Each structure stands twice: as structure tokens, then as C-alpha cells.
Amino acid sequence: MSATTLGETESESARASALLHALFSGSVTDPYPLYEELRELGDGIHWSDDMHAYAVFRYEDVRKIGSDPGLFSSDVFWQSPQSFHDPDNSEHRRFIEYNSRLFMFSDPPVHTRIRSIFRHAFTPQAIQAWRPLVEEVTAELLENYHVGDDIDIMPGFAADVPVALIAAILGVPKQKRSQFRAWSLAYALTFDPSVVGEARDQAITTTLELMDYLRELADERRAEPTDDLISLLVHTETTDGDHLQDVELLAQLTILLAAGNETTTSLIGNGLSILLDHPEARAELTADPSKLPTAIEEMLRYEAPLHFLFRKTTRETQLGDHVIPEGTVLLPSPGSANRDPRHFDNPDVFDISRPDNKHLTFFHGIHFCVGAPLARLEGAVVFEHLLKHYPDFSAGSEPALRTSHSNSPRTWKTRPVRL
Ligand code: HEM
């Protein structure tokens, strides 16, 4: 580590290292007590040897990182694809060609130009227009379940909703949807650095099939537009007055799957668990579902699906008491920021009427989640249906198991529930 740290004693630094190792080695299922300690040790910014990065725990520092994309670059993820991709393998090369175009991992001006094609897609009007589709997809999936069923909601309903919905919104025909789900799962695997060798080759081959399919769909919609999202995106000009190249467009279509699926699945699993733990809140929402939008906001704050994001400094900078060198990776933590008592009163209390709930779950600044309005709508519709059709749902007979790697989504391996 080459940064200079002011105001942190050696014992504080050793304690912080031990807590970070516990977080990133996957031995902790409840990270919040650790975040509480890490926020208060020194300036709340600590080096992780496991992640080769500074993890940032306080609300104001996390927000500051989102506010300054010139200083805190998003061009970090695909920087060294050679670490798990083979430049001599033509499929790997094609895959990287797509993924290096993802606007999520780009800075302005590339990010600004690509993101501008979404400006008509996730507006309040567009979201309202999708509501009937969200209702239909949710109701259709719930037809598979009956009152009294003892099921694990994670691999079933919670995972099915976002995939079925994004497929429907994009305009993937119904008969292709199960294939689409398999493709989406394979694409999600390519973001997991522990997927290597043959497993990675397989995930990439399947992802390229998804890309080829989306290319066909985009070509069809260019020739004959419908009212789906692909039609909208192929016909929206960027703010520079041009259209995205094919490869750029396909990359952005697939990132909608990667960014929106597991996160929304986590929201459903986390939200359901929170309601099981807070029967008064649940009774209030069952009696008055109009309170659901603020309750969903609180679920998002209380259990953020993503606890760490990635950034890289473009020049030496001071953050907290640290002077951080150029080119250093930072891990701002929305999971910790959302529980920072400097910003939220009683942050560990789940309060469905919390006023002014400016959580950082969708982050902050130019990369603020494009799909946030859709995720909020999905959350509201899903919980309205669950509370209405299964008002007495309770914990299932098998134990619920949490995931434990803080740098992967905060979610459940299994979340059994009796409907
Ligand atoms: C509860 C569900 C969700 C959560 C917690 C979430 C969280 C986030 C966060 C934290 C970011 C910022 C990442 C960064 O800057 O490093 C982000 C960006 C993004 N999200 Fe979401 N997301 C959710 C749902 C969705 C959905 C449903 C979609 C689309 C269908 C989506 C599409 C995107 C895209 C395309 C970006 C990149 C935006 C940019 O870089 O400008 N997300 N999301």
C-alpha cells in the first residue's frame, strides 16, 4: 500500500485489516456490525489486501465518489481482461469486444453519448406504460404457487420475475423466454471472477448466442418497429445525433440483463425476509398497499443489493484523511453508507415511513442506476401481489441461508417460505 494515512493508529489499522479480511473472504453473513466499526475506525477508509483496494464506508465519502467521475473513473472492470480471458481465443476476443463497450464501465464522453439513448426509455411515462406488463408477468409467475406451498423463493419466483420482465419489455417472444433465461444466467456468470477455464469458455459461448439472438431482434425492429424497448433503443439517436454501432448497442442490451436481474432478485428475497422479521410493518402494508412505494425505498436502504462498487482514481487525491495515489482502486460501499448514523436517524431500524430517504443503493451522479424506476415498480407490484394473495406467508420449513461474500450481491442462497 502506498497511500499515506493520517490519524489512524497501528492498532486501529490492524483491527480494520482483520474486519476487512472477514468481509471479503466470505466468512460473515451479517456485515452491518463490521461496517459500524469500520466507519468509526480512523476516517472510515481502509485498505484491503484481499481486494487490493481502499474500501470506503461513510455516506459523505461514498457520495463524493459518485459526484466526481473525472476523479473517480468507472473504467475499471474490463481493464485487465487478460487475467481471465485468452486473447488467442476468438470467442473470448469477441466477448471482450462487446464488453469493453459497456457504458457502465465507461467515463464521459463515451458514457454520456451511450447513456443518452436511454433518455426516453426509463422516464416516468415509459414506466407507467409498463405497469400492466409488470402486473401480467408477476400474476402469471404466481400462478405456479398456491397458498400453503413450502417453497424456496430464490431460485424460483424471485429469480424468474426480473428475467421474464426484461424479456417482455425488450420484446423477446414468449416461446423464447426459457432460452432467454438460460442465456441470461450464463452472461451473469461471466462477471464472476471465480468462473475460469472450461466453465468460463462455456459461459462465453452461451453469451455470444445471446448476443447473436439480440442482433437478429435488433435488425428485425430496425426494419419493422414495435412498441418494445429494443425498437425504442435502435431508433433513439444519441445526443450527438448519431446511432450506436451494432456492437455498442448489443453490449448495452445485455448489460440491462446483468445489471437488473440479480439485483432485483435480491430486492425480492431481502424484502420478503424483512417483512417476515417486521410483522407490524407487514400488517400496515397489507392494510394499506399505497404505502408500498416508501416501504420499497426503505427495503432498498436497509438491505442494499450491492454493498460495494468499483472506481479508480485518475490522479492523486485526498479522501478523508488519506492521500490516495493515481490509479488506485476504491470500493465505495452503499451497504455501509445506508447505515451511517451521520446521515440517517436510527439507521438500523426498518421504518417504512422514513422521511427524506436518500439512500445510495442506486448510487449517485452520472452512473445513477438507469433501471431504478423499473426496479422500484417491480418491487411495488411484486409485494402488492404477495401480500394480497398470500397474506399469511411465514418462514418455510428449511433454514434460510444468506450469501456471505460482501463484494457479490447481498442476497440469499435459499429463502424458504410457506405461502
Ligand atoms: C434493486 C435493483 C437494482 C439495484 C440495487 C441497482 C443498483 C445499481 C447501481 C448501484 C448502479 C451504479 C453502478 C456503478 O456506478 O458502479 C447501477 C447502474 C445501472 N443499473 Fe441498476 N440496479 C438495480 C436494477 C436495475 C434494473 C432493473 C436495470 C435495467 C433493467 C438496471 C440497469 C442499470 C444500468 C444499465 C446501469 C449503468 C448506469 C450507468 O453506468 O450510467 N439496474 N445499478
Side-chain angles (χ1 to χ4, degrees), residues 183-195:
W183 282 331
S184 305
L185 291 174
Y187 182 48
L189 283 180
T190 68
F191 286 86
D192 182 344
S194 70
V195 174

Side-chain angles (χ1 to χ4, degrees), residues 74 103-106 111 115 118 122 166 252 255-257 259-261 263-264 267 300 304-306 309-311 334 360-364 366-372 374-376 378:
S74 287
F103 78 120
M104 194 184 229
F105 305 112
S106 310
H111 173 268
R115 183 160 169 141
F118 288 95
F122 292 90
I166 195 68
Q252 315 324 315
I255 193 67
L256 291 180
L257 310 179
N261 288 352
T263 45
T264 311
L267 166 62
L300 287 162
L306 297 174
L309 307 175
F310 289 81
R311 289 298 186 270
L360 295 177
T361 296
F362 294 121
F363 207 35
H364 173 73
I366 64 164
H367 290 275
F368 181 85
C369 176
V370 158
L374 178 60
R376 287 174 164 137
E378 286 183 61

Side-chain angles (χ1 to χ4, degrees), residues 85-153:
H85 293 123
D86 175 3
D88 296 330
N89 178 321
S90 62
E91 291 207 324
H92 283 215
R93 277 204 310 275
R94 221 178 122 215
F95 172 75
I96 286 298
E97 161 75 356
Y98 283 119
N99 272 347
S100 57
R101 309 297 188 96
L102 294 175
F103 78 120
M104 194 184 229
F105 305 112
S106 310
D107 296 326
V110 172
H111 173 268
T112 322
R113 177 175 160 272
I114 296 181
R115 183 160 169 141
S116 71
I117 66 153
F118 288 95
R119 68 189 179 283
H120 304 304
F122 292 90
T123 59
Q125 296 94 308
I127 296 297
Q128 275 323 306
W130 285 335
R131 185 175 253 278
L133 195 57
V134 181
E135 301 268 3
E136 183 191 316
V137 166
T138 307
E140 244 174 50
L141 290 171
L142 280 178
E143 276 171 17
N144 301 325
Y145 307 104
H146 305 97
V147 171
D149 284 355
D150 193 337
I151 57 157
D152 179 1
I153 201 152

